[in-house]
Structure formats: structure tokens, C-alpha cells
Amino acid sequence: MGKILGIDLGTTNSCIAIIEGNEPVVIANIEGQRTTPSMVAFTTKGETHIGVHAKRQAAVNPERTIFGVKRLIGRRADDEDVKSLINLLPYRIVPSSSGDAWVQIDNQSYSPQEISAMIVRKLKECAESYCSETITQCVVAVPAYFNDAQRQATRDACQLAGLEVLRIMNEPTLAALAFGVKKRSTGYVAVFDLGGGTFDISILQCSGGTFRVMATAGNNHLGGNDFDAVIYQYLANQFKEETGIDISSDKMAVQRVREAAELLKCELSTLTETNVNLPFLAIGPAGPVHLSLSMMREELENLIRPLIDKLNAPCEDALREAGITADDLDEVLLVGGMTRMPIVRSRVEKIFGNKISHGVNPDEAVALGAAVQSGILGGEIEEVVLLDVTPLNLGIETAGNRVSTIIERNSSIPTKASKIFTTTEDNQGFVRITVVQGDSSIASECARLGSFLLTDIPQMPAGKPRIEVQFCIDADGVVSVQGIERQTGLVKSLVIQDAVGLSSKQLEDAKKRL
């Protein structure tokens, strides 16, 4: 059996790993770096740059440089969270013909799946060069709080890049594999994963060779990008106060300040004070104007404290739903580049106690865990029993914009559940239901997975048919639905009519462009 690639397709950076000698090994890109910026750039000359080269030219080509596309994948353009990104990103976000959030560069539109596929393809080529063989299969990680549409879209991205996805697994769960929880005989472990775009917290129980995710919680809209945005706004406001110049309409200046904000954040993770110097940032009445200021770590921490405070609630929710307290934990695993910040580590210690493990590079843990899972699937590593959970409620929209929950969050997967419905009119030949996924009891606040149609119901008086709608979530967290008319035994697979995702034609068109 050939190599199976472990992929961490991150919001800010991506990482890949394989199994060598029964151990997971990170593969460096052709530039010699162990992580690759999740960026794609298009030039006016028709060239495409991916990764390091895309990041290097972002300041001079901001409108054609795409970053943070993971926040768009599997999302609709009219989602409130997508709308909030429109003014923060230098490139254009437009609705596709089906309402999905796409990226527009000049007159060409690209789906997030297609942009992600470009990144995955580069990672695949690096792995093939390292291994000297063709790689066709992978295990890919996604945030624990990704819904079905986002998981399906991630699968599409890998397939567009020429990889068969053997498993889609939650990032915190894979990180736990990288830290070696499979070697732990008993106990509880928390995985605290704060990356570039999302925050996840999972509680695992280890017992007799079985590793069960007890609960997971998080925030899909809290990550390093949000911290960068706060720092950027501070720098832009300081510059405006000192010079009277608003740079918000100058996309090149905005990108330069964004990059300075990210660098400042990283530097103050190891230093107590640093400087920001951006010469010739703008042109004022008297000529060129520069941005120059210093910042103490304490000033930065006060600036981002409102975001740090958002870490508490998901951690408390996960502990409560797992039925344990922080005192019951044996270890806390830190994952994601943001966990390098001292204030983040201090908050983790405050929530969970001083039980932090430093055994694995937080930027590489997820990819290493994906490689461990690939080794299990490929027979290179002894199999462990790993029971994951679904992070979100799954149900049906009912009258009054309400949700009837069928599978509750933190149910072990794979799982299935069903509910009985009936007709409201005499001789009704079909039933249309809308499936939603999310923690809110209000349907419009949840992710809409699709409109499902069950047809060929025998003619009967209203209320007479007994229609069982069965929901299944597989080991990848992907949802499928089936309908059964109990009186006649009629079985129908439900067809998703309006779900977010690429059509067959869109997939073929994307393959031609790649």
C-alpha cells in the first residue's frame, strides 16, 4: 500500500506529515519550511503563486492575494459571519449561482474549494518529491466545530487536488494522537486548539486502550486572524491620530499594516517590548509619512483581552458536558500557533490548572496526528479505538422557525437517530423538510444543510402516513438522510436540493482550471 498523507489544512498555515519507520514525520515544503502559508496569489501577468511566494508579494498585490479562505469554505455568501469578513479582506467575496461564498479576482470567480485545492496540490507535490512516489490518498483534519457542508467542501478540495479522502477527522482529536494519548492507560485529557481561524476545546477519556471524546466545544469565529484584526485597527487608529490620514481605502497600506500587526503579535510572544516601523506608508500634504511606534507586551495583552475572555465559556461548556471538573484532568495539550502567546497560556492555566504538556510543536500537532491515523489505516501502526463526537445539534426546521433536534451535540459518532413525521393534507404525495445543524433553537441561526424531498407517499388522509426520517453521521462527521413510510415500507433516499457545495459541472470546471 502506498503512502497516505496526513493534512492539516489551516486557516493561516498548512502542514503535512507521513509515517516513516512507524513514526509520524513532518514534511518540509520546497522552501525548506515545515509549515506552508495558506495563501494563493494571482499576478497581472497570469502567474499563480502558492504558499511562501504568495505571502512575500501580498503587500504589493493585496487585491489578488487570497488568504483565510478556510473561513469561507462550505459557507453561503449571505451568512452573517461571511458578511462581516467583506470589509476586512482586500479581495472580493461574491455569491455563486447557488449562493455560496466565492472569491473574485478581476473577472474570474473561484470557489473556496478550488483555492484550497491549489494549496493541497502544492502540499501533495512536496510530499511526492520527498517520498519519490505518487500519493493518492489522505487523512484530512477539520475544526471540530465544522458542520456537514464545511466537511463536504473540504473533501471536495482534496479530491480536486487529486487525493482520495480516507478519513475526515476533528483537529483536536488528531492532535491528541500526536501527543501520544494512545500510550496513556487511563485518565482525562483536554485538547486546547487555538489556531489562525478557529478555536476548539475537546475533552478525551482514556481507558483500557479506548480513547473517547467526551465533549467538544469552541468558536468557529475566534482565531489568530481576529487578534491580528484588533492589532491592525489599533495601529491604523494610532497612525490616523498622529497624521490625520485614514489608510482604510489604500489596500496596499492596509496589507502592510496587517503584516506588521501579525509580526508584532509574534514578537511580543517572546519579547516584552518591540517596535513597528513602516516607512512611506502614506503621502501627506508635506510628503511621505511613516508609521513608527513601540509597544509593550502588557499593552498588547490589554488590547486583546476581550478576545482572550471569549476562551472561557467554551472550556467551561466542554467540562460541564463531559461531566468532569478541571481537577479531574491529567493533562492539557496546547495546539495551534496562538497558544505560543504567554497570555493564552496563562488563561489556560487559570481555567484548567498547571497541567500543560509541551511535548509536541503546536503548529505541527494536527498534521502529525493525521499521519498517525493514516498509519493506522495503512496498517503501519497498531490500531487504537478512537471514538469521536459530533459537535453540533442536528435537526429539522419546524413551524415558527424552530428546530426539532434529532441528534444532539456531543453524541459519539458514527451514530444514527430517527423521528416520526406525518402529512398535513389529505392525499399528500410528498413531504419537504429542511435539515439544519447548529446549537441554536432558532432555525435561521443554524447552518442549513439542505432541503430534502421525500416523494411517492401513498394517498392517505392527513396525519395517517407514518414517515420515519433517519439521520446518520458517519465516522467523518458527514451527514446522510433516509426516509421510510412505515405503513407501506416504502424507502427513499432523500435528495439534497439546495445544499452548499459544488455541483458536478462546477467540480469539472474547477478540475480543468487546476
Side-chain angles (χ1 to χ4, degrees):
M1 188 174 184
K3 293 290 187 182
I4 302 173
L5 190 60
I7 302 177
D8 174 15
L9 183 60
T11 305
T12 306
N13 294 290
S14 295
C15 187
I16 53 174
I18 59 168
I19 294 297
E20 278 193 340
N22 298 326
E23 292 294 333
V25 175
V26 169
I27 298 175
N29 57 31
I30 58 174
E31 293 82 17
Q33 299 178 356
R34 292 168 69 88
T35 61
T36 298
S38 301
M39 303 178 74
V40 175
F42 301 91
T43 70
T44 54
K45 297 181 180 180
E47 300 171 331
T48 302
H49 298 301
I50 301 169
V52 176
H53 296 295
K55 186 172 185 177
R56 286 174 181 166
Q57 57 82 73
V60 297
N61 185 30
E63 293 179 293
R64 295 182 180 86
T65 302
I66 303 170
F67 59 90
V69 75
K70 185 175 178 178
R71 284 191 159 184
L72 303 178
I73 199 165
R75 307 293 295 273
R76 295 184 63 85
D78 57 3
D79 283 357
E80 290 301 320
D81 297 317
V82 173
K83 290 179 181 178
S84 68
L85 294 174
I86 291 176
N87 294 328
L88 298 177
L89 298 172
Y91 54 84
R92 292 190 64 196
I93 301 174
V94 298
S96 70
S97 58
S98 59
D100 302 355
W102 282 30
V103 172
Q104 188 175 66
I105 304 297
D106 297 326
N107 295 319
Q108 179 66 56
S109 295
Y110 300 87
S111 69
Q113 293 93 312
E114 189 173 353
I115 298 298
S116 298
M118 295 178 186
I119 300 168
V120 173
R121 185 176 61 180
K122 177 180 174 64
L123 300 174
K124 176 177 180 286
E125 290 170 352
C126 292
E128 290 175 336
S129 176
Y130 178 86
C131 299
S132 299
E133 65 177 79
T134 300
I135 297 177
T136 60
Q137 297 176 316
C138 71
V139 171
V140 64
V142 295
Y145 249 48
F146 256 24
N147 62 35
D148 179 74
Q150 292 167 305
R151 292 170 190 268
Q152 295 280 18
T154 303
R155 183 189 295 274
D156 286 345
C158 293
Q159 291 177 338
L160 282 173
L163 289 170
E164 177 192 0
V165 180
L166 299 182
R167 287 292 302 274
I168 298 175
M169 295 189 67
N170 292 339
E171 291 169 2
T173 307
L174 289 174
L177 286 180
F179 276 89
V181 298
K182 64 187 182 69
K183 299 176 183 177
R184 178 182 291 276
S185 57
T186 59
Y188 293 97
V189 175
V191 182
F192 183 97
D193 184 355
L194 183 60
T198 59
F199 168 53
D200 291 321
I201 175 70
S202 294
I203 309 296
L204 286 80
Q205 181 186 32
C206 313
S207 178
T210 298
F211 307 93
R212 178 189 174 199
V213 179
M214 303 288 292
T216 190
N219 186 336
N220 257 5
H221 319 295
L222 178 63
N225 291 349
D226 301 283
F227 289 79
D228 294 346
V230 170
I231 302 168
Y232 157 79
Q233 197 60 58
Y234 172 81
L235 296 178
N237 289 344
Q238 290 293 109
F239 184 73
K240 185 176 181 180
E241 287 181 13
E242 293 177 6
T243 66
I245 299 175
D246 183 356
I247 65 168
S248 60
S249 60
D250 184 343
K251 293 189 176 182
M252 188 177 296
V254 168
Q255 184 60 30
R256 290 182 66 193
V257 177
R258 285 184 187 280
E259 292 178 358
E262 181 183 7
L263 180 61
L264 182 150
K265 177 189 69 178
C266 295
E267 289 183 346
L268 287 180
S269 293
T270 55
L271 304 174
T272 57
E273 184 178 9
T274 191
N275 298 311
V276 175
N277 292 292
L278 295 176
F280 305 101
L281 184 62
I283 302 295
V289 185
H290 320 297
L291 171 62
S292 180
L293 60 81
S294 62
M295 179 177 279
M296 302 286 292
R297 180 188 291 175
E298 184 179 359
E299 294 177 85
L300 173 64
E301 292 179 347
N302 289 333
L303 189 65
I304 63 175
R305 198 169 302 279
L307 294 179
I308 295 295
D309 290 340
K310 291 184 178 181
L311 299 172
N312 286 51
C315 295
E316 293 165 359
D317 289 344
L319 285 171
R320 182 177 60 254
E321 294 188 21
I324 65 172
T325 67
D327 292 337
D328 296 319
L329 290 173
D330 297 284
E331 195 172 15
V332 179
L333 314 181
L334 297 185
V335 182
M338 284 298 299
T339 61
R340 297 182 186 277
M341 293 190 74
I343 189 174
V344 173
R345 296 195 172 208
S346 295
R347 184 56 60 95
V348 173
E349 290 178 354
K350 184 176 179 180
I351 296 171
F352 297 112
N354 190 16
K355 303 172 182 177
I356 294 175
S357 173
H358 302 279
V360 177
N361 184 330
D363 295 316
E364 302 173 357
V366 172
L368 289 170
V372 171
Q373 180 63 32
S374 76
I376 293 172
L377 295 176
E380 299 169 275
I381 295 178
E382 183 181 353
E383 185 169 359
V384 298
V385 179
L386 185 60
L387 304 176
D388 215 333
V389 298
T390 178
L392 300 165
N393 290 333
L394 179 68
I396 291 177
E397 181 178 353
T398 58
N401 193 29
R402 308 300 294 178
V403 176
S404 175
T405 300
I406 295 177
I407 296 180
E408 295 186 351
R409 59 174 294 182
N410 288 322
S411 297
S412 293
I413 58 174
T415 188
K416 64 173 59 177
S418 63
K419 206 165 191 177
I420 301 296
F421 297 88
T422 189
T423 55
T424 58
E425 299 177 5
D426 291 340
N427 302 322
Q428 186 172 331
F430 67 90
V431 171
R432 184 188 298 274
I433 59 176
T434 299
V435 177
V436 294
Q437 194 172 27
D439 291 334
S440 176
S441 60
I442 301 174
S444 58
E445 296 179 356
C446 296
R448 185 177 185 272
L449 298 190
S451 176
F452 295 83
L453 192 66
L454 176 63
T455 60
D456 300 328
I457 297 174
Q459 293 187 355
M460 286 182 277
K464 182 71 172 177
R466 310 298 292 172
I467 302 165
E468 179 184 2
V469 181
Q470 187 178 85
F471 291 77
C472 298
I473 304 180
D474 66 15
D476 293 332
V478 176
V479 179
S480 61
V481 184
Q482 189 177 59
I484 306 170
E485 203 293 300
R486 304 304 302 179
Q487 183 167 323
T488 63
L490 176 69
V491 178
K492 286 281 186 177
S493 295
L494 302 184
V495 179
I496 299 178
Q497 296 179 325
D498 301 310
V500 172
L502 299 181
S503 65
S504 298
K505 184 179 184 305
Q506 289 171 331
L507 283 169
E508 289 303 316
D509 290 344
K511 287 179 182 178
K512 293 176 183 177
R513 287 199 293 262
L514 288 171

